[in-house]
């Protein structure tokens, strides 16, 4: 099989990568946990790690999985109830990841962050040191925002607002080459493909324009992010000479194709 120089360069440049999983990727609209997707994700990231890549996972979904556990059909609106669900769901989410990764004999470690960490040089260095220690021991760090205390309605200094921004900051601060975002859509489109049959996928974005932001719509019922948050994350990374790829998370195995340079989803890369 012929491998292009572009593919070889992508494989080399993505030696350390961050994978971000949204709630809609691992929890369906009915609130059911997508165990097969989580299993395939664990298998894929383990394969990357065993092939010499350094992998960091940023995950959403704590409240999403807690809804099923607590027999709730929709996310509550009051803050203490959401905090409680975050605490319940985070432990269950990590149990799912631990069990799934353990099947492939891959160790993982939990890292819960608030925005304060990135505003405090000492705390940030401690965090990076811990992540580097895990990576050096072939352990995959699993990062989420600490939603029990990171309540942006009460204190904007403590919350990222969404995990797309968190993943972008983690990508930059850990000196990863790029971020792969798993979402419930195949790529960035010229319009909403669910309502406009003339919408076409955009394979490459070299600049985040106001036109793109104006057309960014869509968000899952269970998560807090949407297309706009992904565009802001991409803009942040591109301004720091890093790249991002947006793909559909229904089959996480295509992460391997992205790393190998295949043109899938939307690549955000500055010129």
């Amino acid at each position: 099989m012929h491998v292009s120089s572009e593919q070889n360069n992508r494989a080399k440049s993505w030696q350390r990568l961050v994978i971000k999983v949204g709630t809609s990727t691992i929890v369906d609209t009915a609130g059911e946990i997508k165990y097969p997707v989580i299993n395939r994700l664990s298998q894929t990231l383990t394969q990357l790690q065993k092939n010499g890549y350094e992998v960091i996972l940023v995950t959403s979904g704590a409240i999403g999985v807690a809804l099923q556990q607590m027999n709730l059909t929709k996310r509550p609106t009051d803050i203490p109830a959401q905090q409680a669900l975050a605490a319940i769901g985070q432990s269950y989410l990590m149990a799912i990841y631990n069990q799934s990764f353990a099947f492939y004999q891959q160790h993982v470690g939990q890292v819960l962050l608030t925005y304060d960490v990135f505003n405090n040089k000492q705390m940030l260095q401690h965090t990076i040191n811990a992540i580097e220690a895990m990576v050096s021991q072939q352990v995959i760090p699993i990062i989420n925002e600490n939603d029990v205390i990171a309540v942006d309605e009460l204190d904007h200094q403590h919350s990222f607002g969404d995990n797309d921004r968190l993943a972008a900051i983690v990508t930059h601060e850990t000196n990863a080459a790029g971020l792969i975002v798993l979402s419930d859509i195949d790529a960035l489109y010229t319009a909403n493909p669910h309502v406009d049959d003339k919408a076409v996928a955009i394979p490459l974005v070299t600049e985040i324009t106001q036109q793109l932001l104006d057309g960014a719509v869509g968000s899952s019922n269970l998560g807090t992010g949407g297309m706009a948050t992904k565009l802001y994350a991409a803009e942040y990374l591109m301004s720091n000479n890093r790249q991002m790829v947006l793909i559909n998370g229904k089959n996480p195995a295509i992460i391997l194709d992205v790393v190998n340079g295949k043109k899938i989803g939307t690549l955000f890369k500055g010129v």
Side-chain angles (χ1 to χ4, degrees):
M1 180 180 70
H2 175 69
V3 179
S4 70
S5 60
E6 179 184 355
Q7 289 175 319
N8 275 327
N9 290 336
R10 171 76 67 82
K12 292 177 182 177
S13 67
W14 285 73
Q15 198 61 39
R16 172 176 291 187
L17 64 155
V18 176
I19 309 295
K20 187 268 179 177
V21 179
T23 301
S24 62
T25 298
I26 59 175
V27 181
D28 68 21
T29 54
E32 296 294 323
I33 301 169
K34 301 178 185 178
Y35 292 104
V37 172
I38 295 175
N39 177 69
R40 182 59 63 87
L41 175 67
S42 302
Q43 181 185 37
T44 300
L45 299 192
T46 298
Q47 182 177 342
L48 281 171
Q49 197 281 133
K50 293 188 184 306
N51 287 342
Y53 291 90
E54 297 176 341
V55 181
I56 299 170
L57 175 62
V58 175
T59 184
S60 300
I63 292 179
V65 300
L67 292 175
Q68 184 194 57
Q69 274 204 302
M70 303 305 291
N71 296 315
L72 299 174
T73 57
K74 63 179 181 178
R75 183 175 178 142
T77 56
D78 62 295
I79 295 170
Q82 292 188 48
Q83 290 174 278
L85 284 177
I88 295 164
Q90 181 62 32
S91 60
Y92 188 48
L93 181 62
M94 281 305 301
I96 295 170
Y97 276 127
N98 269 307
Q99 184 177 28
S100 186
F101 276 102
F103 183 81
Y104 299 103
Q105 300 181 321
Q106 174 62 54
H107 293 297
V108 298
Q110 175 180 259
V111 181
L112 296 178
L113 299 175
T114 60
Y115 200 83
D116 309 62
V117 170
F118 297 95
N119 287 331
N120 183 305
K121 290 183 178 180
Q122 187 175 24
M123 291 171 63
L124 175 58
Q125 191 58 56
H126 288 326
T127 301
I128 292 175
N129 290 345
I131 292 173
E132 292 289 348
M134 281 187 275
V135 170
S136 69
Q137 297 176 68
Q138 289 77 53
V139 175
I140 295 178
I142 300 181
I143 301 174
N144 196 1
E145 183 168 11
N146 190 339
D147 290 320
V148 176
I149 63 174
V151 184
D152 64 345
E153 292 92 344
L154 297 180
D155 187 346
H156 290 275
Q157 297 302 312
H158 287 77
S159 178
F160 297 95
D162 63 85
N163 273 3
D164 293 317
R165 177 170 174 78
L166 169 60
I169 295 174
V170 167
T171 301
H172 176 59
E173 295 294 347
T174 61
N175 201 31
L179 168 65
I180 300 176
V181 176
L182 277 61
S183 185
D184 55 2
I185 194 167
D186 293 339
L188 175 66
Y189 283 79
T190 54
N192 187 340
H194 299 300
V195 297
D196 187 347
D197 57 8
K198 294 182 179 179
V200 295
I202 304 172
L204 175 65
V205 173
T206 58
E207 181 185 8
I208 304 300
T209 64
Q210 191 60 48
Q211 183 180 6
L212 286 177
L213 291 171
D214 290 342
V217 295
S219 174
S220 75
N221 294 325
L222 298 175
T224 59
M227 188 57 69
T229 65
K230 292 167 179 54
L231 292 180
Y232 285 124
E235 184 175 46
Y236 173 83
L237 288 172
M238 291 162 68
S239 68
N240 285 286
N241 197 31
R242 304 185 194 283
Q243 53 189 308
M244 185 182 106
V245 178
L246 174 65
I247 59 174
N248 196 313
K250 63 184 178 183
N251 180 16
I254 65 172
I255 292 171
L256 301 175
D257 293 330
V258 173
V259 172
N260 288 325
K262 293 185 179 179
K263 295 179 179 179
I264 298 173
T266 298
L267 170 64
F268 298 85
K269 183 179 182 181
V271 293

